Amino acid sequence: MAIHTITTQAFHDQKPGTSGLRKRVTVFQQPHYLENFVQSIFDAVKMPVGAALVVGGDGRFYNVEAIQIILKMAAANGVGRVLVGKDGILSTPAASCVIRKYQTFGGIILSASHNPGGPEGDFGIKFNAANGGPATENVTEAIFARSKELAQYKIVDAPDVALDVVGETEIAGMKVEIIDSVTDYVALMETLFDFEAIRQLLASGFRLRFDAMHAVTGPYARAILVDRLGAPSSAVINADPLPDFGGGHPDPNLTYAHDLVEIMFGDDAPDFGAASDGDGDRNMILGKQFFVTPSDSLALIAANARLAPGYGQGIAGVARSMPTSAAVDRVAEELDIPCFETPTGWKFFGNLMDAGKVTLCGEESFGTGSDHVREKDGLWAVLFWLNILAIKRQPVETIVKRHWARFGRNVYSRHDYEELPSDAANDLIDHIRAQFTSLPGKTLGRYIVKTCDDFSYTDPVDGSVSQKQGIRILFEDGSRIVFRLSGTGTAGATLRIYLESFDADISQHDQDAQHALAELIGIAEQISELKQRSGREQPTVIT
């Protein structure tokens, strides 16, 4: 099989965002576009000849075609062995699991996470390192730098590989091993959680509903919840992965996971509900007519970690992204363990976990995980909740409200304004920054501004510095407003506004978050001149 060197022209828009390069499918389908980025990965990471690689994705449109291209390019670039999920499927946490278990050099994961799929939808690609986690900023910067100067790429002339049969084959001397997508991941989960206690919970009449949103977690949820734990097959809905996610938006929040929300807020709601996203790394947790915010979920898991066998010896520390509420900070203080505040992006947790500084990590964007892999993990969070419920035998709402009674409630909400014109969004952020000198000391309603800044982070392990990671308006009473432009969209700009206040008064804990935060919401609009500058009257999504 001949190795071809293809002449190409560099693209200058291949800068990875929060977690890889994400564009419309039609962009990736341009001649040489995907190939250029893949070659930039191989050139930048300097993979040794004969090294092993993991490849898989969330099954969205263009996933299989992209895998065939990557395999042929891997063979041309001297890769010795590639492990590929059957049918091209590997959830992002499962890919991290496989990278770590088989000690490969890294992996190429094909996903745009929670973004829509289909021919007119989104596609994404990222490189994960040998620890199983997303590439660090210095690596993604090196990939981007290489992409801007690339003049050629290498690919072998070979027939496509059959991805639907478990087994081994070769491309130009490179071994290609098609592996079962779920086996290694399920085995890992069995070492972490008390499956027997969860089986007994489900056998007791406890009802659950898991919404896979026609995304990658369907096969994993069936294998664990139904086959291993004994839940009825009806407990897993929208379980078949589809290239367009069934026409839905595979983001597990109260707006887009509407099938599950209707069930859990209905008259005959199950005891527990959960959903995961396109590539299986996010989660939403619900009780009967009750939504658990991701920030509270992280705090509650930390407070109850010892109930799960894999964490029975306690946890070393916790970490959260800066926009995530400080609920877990209060748990860490009581447990006398360190708590780290990082920028958004799971890659920032990797160094902390590798150094043994933290065990649990979380982001308010419905991502929770631990050091069992180096990605956030939707099903892991679901199983942790089921383990807690199996031991406590209390309703979800009761568990959360007792947690609030013990630690206080961090009232929290996020307002997303999706697909804003990029110029308008950047202008809005610049307008807020221009007020940094005038806002401190100002009284806004019943709040007094203490300080405001552009969050920066110095990694305590390698000393690297990340700047301009979100604007913080901090108030004297500990309340705060955070403004941040998301790095996960593909069209225009997504503005996220995070609002948080703390309430220790149990009598106020039943308040709806939007009501409790109404004054802060108004202050955020006032400071940003949001409606005038964006033209939007309401958020696209409220969580």
Side-chain angles (χ1 to χ4, degrees):
M1 297 179 185
I3 296 177
H4 296 289
T5 300
I6 308 297
T7 300
T8 187
Q9 290 186 329
F11 295 90
H12 293 272
D13 65 343
Q14 296 191 329
K15 182 177 177 61
T18 305
S19 193
L21 179 67
R22 294 179 187 174
K23 302 285 184 182
R24 296 294 195 197
V25 169
T26 50
V27 174
F28 275 100
Q29 289 175 322
Q30 294 176 88
H32 310 305
Y33 193 88
L34 173 66
E35 291 88 342
N36 275 27
F37 191 75
V38 172
Q39 188 64 55
S40 298
I41 292 175
F42 287 129
D43 291 352
V45 303
K46 297 179 172 57
M47 193 177 301
V49 174
L53 188 68
V54 172
V55 177
D58 59 14
R60 68 178 57 232
F61 189 86
Y62 197 56
N63 187 68
V64 170
E65 295 87 343
I67 288 174
Q68 299 293 353
I69 291 169
I70 292 167
L71 290 176
K72 294 167 189 177
M73 292 187 67
N77 280 275
V79 176
R81 176 175 172 235
V82 180
L83 286 74
V84 187
K86 183 177 179 291
D87 297 318
I89 294 286
L90 274 177
S91 75
T92 292
S96 182
C97 167
V98 172
I99 291 168
R100 293 171 63 80
K101 179 175 181 176
Y102 296 100
Q103 300 181 339
T104 68
F105 183 83
I108 295 178
I109 299 176
L110 303 173
S111 172
S113 188
H114 55 295
N115 293 10
E120 304 302 320
D122 296 341
F123 192 76
I125 177 172
K126 68 175 181 175
F127 178 75
N128 276 33
N131 71 344
T136 57
E137 282 193 319
N138 63 326
V139 174
T140 58
E141 286 296 332
I143 293 170
F144 180 47
R146 180 59 180 151
S147 74
K148 292 187 290 185
E149 63 185 20
L150 196 75
Q152 59 186 30
Y153 62 84
K154 294 186 288 186
I155 190 167
V156 299
D157 183 11
D160 287 350
V161 173
L163 301 178
D164 59 346
V165 180
V166 172
E168 289 191 7
T169 185
E170 285 192 0
I171 296 179
M174 180 185 77
K175 292 183 179 179
V176 179
E177 184 177 352
I178 309 301
I179 63 173
D180 185 284
S181 300
V182 303
T183 300
D184 292 316
Y185 178 82
V186 173
L188 178 58
M189 293 301 105
E190 287 183 309
T191 69
L192 300 176
F193 300 111
D194 189 341
F195 273 31
E196 181 54 37
I198 299 173
R199 283 190 199 97
Q200 292 178 15
L201 173 71
L202 298 182
S204 72
F206 180 94
R207 295 188 300 147
L208 71 88
R209 196 66 52 90
F210 178 86
D211 188 352
M213 302 188 79
H214 288 302
V216 75
T217 48
Y220 297 87
R222 280 175 172 152
I224 296 175
L225 299 176
V226 178
D227 298 344
R228 299 297 198 283
L229 297 175
S233 58
S234 59
V236 181
I237 62 174
N238 300 321
D240 296 321
L242 299 175
D244 65 348
F245 306 118
H249 190 151
D251 193 352
N253 60 46
L254 293 171
T255 299
Y256 294 127
H258 45 80
D259 289 354
L260 179 67
V261 172
E262 288 179 8
I263 291 169
M264 295 307 300
F265 284 83
D267 294 334
D268 187 32
D271 301 286
F272 177 77
S276 192
D277 70 328
D279 66 334
D281 64 356
R282 299 182 184 221
N283 72 91
M284 179 171 68
I285 302 297
L286 298 165
K288 287 185 178 181
Q289 290 92 37
F290 191 82
F291 166 64
V292 184
T293 72
S295 296
D296 281 335
S297 181
L298 172 64
L300 199 138
I301 287 172
N304 293 277
R306 289 180 181 270
L307 297 181
Y311 307 89
Q313 300 304 309
I315 55 179
V318 295
R320 62 169 176 84
S321 64
M322 179 274 288
T324 301
S325 94
V328 75
D329 302 42
R330 302 180 188 282
V331 175
E333 183 178 4
E334 180 165 311
L335 296 178
D336 195 25
I337 57 175
C339 178
F340 296 86
E341 183 181 40
T342 76
T344 296
W346 211 259
K347 57 192 173 187
F348 293 102
F349 297 140
N351 275 357
L352 297 172
M353 289 189 282
D354 287 346
K357 292 181 178 294
V358 304
T359 305
L360 302 179
C361 305
E363 295 181 334
E364 53 70 37
S365 54
F366 295 82
T368 326
S370 84
D371 59 358
H372 69 290
V373 290
R374 294 297 183 270
E375 291 276 7
K376 48 187 174 278
D377 190 345
L379 267 178
W380 171 91
V382 173
L383 290 169
F384 217 130
W385 265 93
L386 287 173
N387 201 142
I388 292 169
L389 290 162
I391 303 302
K392 287 184 171 286
R393 297 294 179 115
Q394 298 167 350
V396 170
E397 182 176 357
T398 299
I399 290 173
V400 173
K401 289 186 174 179
R402 288 184 177 180
H403 179 91
W404 290 343
R406 178 181 174 189
F407 293 99
R409 181 186 179 190
N410 284 73
V411 187
Y412 184 86
S413 184
R414 187 182 93 191
H415 290 200
D416 289 1
Y417 292 81
E418 297 177 348
E419 297 189 3
L420 295 177
S422 295
D423 289 347
N426 288 316
D427 176 67
L428 184 148
I429 292 296
D430 289 342
H431 171 69
I432 301 170
R433 286 196 180 108
Q435 301 173 69
F436 278 6
T437 56
S438 61
L439 278 174
K442 184 174 289 188
T443 299
L444 301 172
R446 61 188 173 92
Y447 297 92
I448 302 173
V449 179
K450 180 179 181 181
T451 186
C452 46
D453 64 12
D454 224 329
F455 180 67
S456 64
Y457 174 72
T458 301
D459 191 296
V461 179
D462 64 17
S464 61
V465 178
S466 301
Q467 297 179 327
K468 292 189 174 182
Q469 296 295 315
I471 291 174
R472 301 187 299 179
I473 312 296
L474 307 176
F475 298 93
E476 293 283 358
D477 69 346
S479 300
R480 64 178 184 149
I481 302 170
V482 175
F483 298 88
R484 179 176 165 271
L485 295 181
S486 172
T488 60
T490 62
T494 294
L495 173 68
R496 303 197 198 283
I497 303 176
Y498 312 86
L499 308 121
E500 178 179 6
S501 66
F502 177 72
D503 198 333
D505 184 353
I506 295 176
S507 68
Q508 300 298 313
H509 286 176
D510 284 333
Q511 278 196 86
D512 177 78
Q514 304 310 308
H515 175 74
L517 296 168
E519 189 172 2
L520 277 180
I521 293 168
I523 292 170
E525 293 177 351
Q526 176 186 339
I527 290 173
S528 63
E529 296 182 356
L530 175 65
K531 293 180 180 179
Q532 303 96 300
R533 293 175 181 274
S534 72
R536 298 286 184 85
E537 292 292 324
Q538 299 292 334
T540 312
V541 178
I542 296 176
T543 51

